[in-house]
DNA sequence: GTTGAGCGTT
């Protein structure tokens, strides 16, 4: 059965999370399940996927029920060749909620309170709160998601995590294009409409601009009636320069 | 169809 990650995160507070890196982009939870389940009881397996394409990002999270089993799996599966690629198995450092994890186990924000537990905070309430907030801000949900993707893009992330932080601008061609496209798609509405209007000759369709130059309005204007033969256009374009008859 | 440091969801 492959129902991992389809029903949301189960009780991870009592499970150990393992991080599997270096896996192939085609490896799925079903492929890792038998591998990890052989060394221990796998509670759940989750593989982050891209929301745009849906492909795996190249790493998966395996949750074990016991630490000893998880440790064994790490020692046995770490360095194992899966699908022709050597995978890297290690304990997760951060949790789904950006929480700290020790030895694969999630430590709540206050390890001391774990024992005392002054606040009777159940994880159900936590999820409920989050859901409520998300539903309430459905308006900014779209923007939030879009912004998140842009910042967490594979390219952006890779460059950001580079060993040496060298902000090279030569490689920003893709980003420039994206930015330009986005700007001309939403900002061109009230940004500078007077700059793009007076550019009929700069149209991106030269072959369809004027297939018949002989019938251009200039000639008709001169032939018919020319109020200002010197400069028909307010910009004073040298229309005379061009020979009307080729 | 591609790539390869890293840390997660209905």
């Amino acid at each position: 059965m492959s129902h991992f990650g389809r029903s949301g995160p189960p009780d991870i507070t009592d499970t150990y999370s393992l991080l599997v890196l270096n896996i192939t982009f085609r490896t799925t939870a079903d492929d890792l399940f038998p591998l990890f389940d052989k060394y221990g009881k796998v509670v759940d397996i989750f593989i982050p996927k891209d929301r745009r394409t849906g492909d795996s990002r190249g790493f998966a999270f395996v949750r074990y029920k016991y630490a000893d089993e998880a440790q064994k799996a790490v020692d046995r599966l770490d360095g194992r060749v899966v699908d022709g690629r050597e995978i890297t198995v290690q304990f997760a450092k951060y949790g789904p909620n950006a929480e700290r994890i020790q030895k694969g186990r999630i430590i709540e924000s206050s390890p001391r309170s774990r024992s005392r537990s002054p606040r009777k905070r159940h994880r159900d309430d936590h999820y409920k709160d989050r859901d409520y907030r998300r539903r309430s801000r459905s308006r900014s949900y779209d923007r939030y998601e879009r912004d998140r993707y842009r910042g967490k893009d594979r390219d952006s992330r890779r460059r950001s995590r580079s060993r040496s932080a060298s902000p090279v601008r030569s490689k920003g061609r893709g980003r420039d294009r994206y930015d330009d496209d986005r700007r001309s798609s939403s900002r061109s509405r009230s940004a500078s409409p007077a700059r793009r209007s007076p550019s009929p000759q700069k149209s991106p369709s030269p072959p369809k601009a004027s297939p018949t130059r002989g019938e251009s309005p200039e000639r008709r204007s001169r032939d018919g009636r020319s109020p200002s033969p010197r400069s028909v256009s307010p910009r004073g374009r040298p229309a005379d320069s061009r020979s009307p008859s080729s």
Side-chain angles (χ1 to χ4, degrees):
Chain A
M1 288 160 195
S2 44
H3 286 83
F4 301 120
R6 296 232 177 164
S7 295
D11 46 352
I12 53 177
T13 50
D14 283 337
T15 57
Y16 298 88
S17 298
L18 259 63
L19 174 66
V20 187
L21 292 171
N22 233 28
I23 64 172
T24 57
F25 297 97
R26 306 186 288 185
T27 304
T28 57
D30 295 334
D31 297 333
L32 300 176
F33 175 65
L35 264 158
F36 283 82
D37 190 54
K38 273 196 299 184
Y39 295 99
K41 177 73 164 70
V42 177
V43 183
D44 182 44
I45 297 181
F46 170 64
I47 299 183
K49 299 180 279 182
D50 197 313
R51 301 291 265 262
R52 302 168 296 183
T53 60
D55 275 349
S56 53
R57 274 199 246 172
F59 63 95
F61 290 96
V62 182
R63 279 200 277 270
Y64 275 94
K65 190 70 175 79
Y66 301 101
D68 59 334
E69 292 180 344
Q71 179 62 47
K72 193 166 69 175
V74 172
D75 188 52
R76 298 297 290 175
L77 293 175
D78 182 32
R80 196 63 153 272
V81 179
V82 178
D83 202 26
R85 194 118 181 145
E86 194 176 87
I87 63 171
T88 303
V89 184
Q90 56 188 241
F91 283 94
K93 290 197 295 195
Y94 305 98
N97 293 359
E99 293 175 318
R100 293 234 258 279
I101 300 187
Q102 191 172 63
K103 303 293 205 286
R105 189 156 178 180
I106 299 182
I107 313 174
E108 302 230 45
S109 284
S110 33
R112 284 184 303 182
S113 307
R114 202 165 61 131
S115 246
R116 306 260 183 191
S117 227
R119 292 198 220 155
K120 276 176 193 171
R121 158 166 62 148
H122 288 131
R123 58 177 184 269
D124 284 343
D125 289 357
H126 178 75
Y127 275 100
K128 213 161 103 173
D129 195 305
R130 210 181 76 175
D131 205 340
Y132 175 76
R133 270 175 70 88
R134 257 180 66 190
R135 224 162 265 210
S136 203
R137 291 175 64 107
S138 61
R139 192 177 52 193
S140 54
Y141 182 69
D142 226 359
R143 201 170 67 125
Y144 170 74
E145 262 210 340
R146 204 164 50 114
D147 216 53
R148 228 175 103 202
Y149 293 156
R150 269 176 66 80
K152 262 193 166 228
D153 231 344
R154 272 178 10 201
D155 290 356
S156 268
R157 200 147 64 80
R158 215 184 284 154
R159 231 176 289 156
S160 224
R161 294 266 184 201
S162 244
R163 251 169 242 145
S164 38
S166 23
V168 286
R169 260 197 281 187
S170 296
K171 278 209 170 172
R173 211 170 84 177
R175 197 158 139 268
D176 275 346
R177 192 171 71 82
Y178 205 82
D179 206 307
D180 200 313
D181 221 20
R182 206 165 57 103
R183 240 193 317 192
S184 71
S185 199
S186 78
R187 259 201 210 177
S188 62
R189 222 152 270 185
S190 63
S192 44
R195 228 163 124 185
R196 260 192 202 250
S197 263
S199 279
Q201 306 234 342
K202 266 195 174 183
S203 257
S205 22
K208 236 190 196 179
S210 51
T212 47
R213 230 170 235 173
E215 302 261 311
S216 67
E218 297 170 9
R219 195 201 199 182
R220 209 169 27 180
S221 217
R222 257 188 9 194
D223 242 1
R225 198 176 283 158
S226 42
S228 344
R230 205 68 171 149
S231 56
V232 182
S233 301
R235 276 162 73 159
R237 246 186 85 262
D240 294 358
S241 249
R242 201 147 306 253
S243 325
S245 56
S246 42

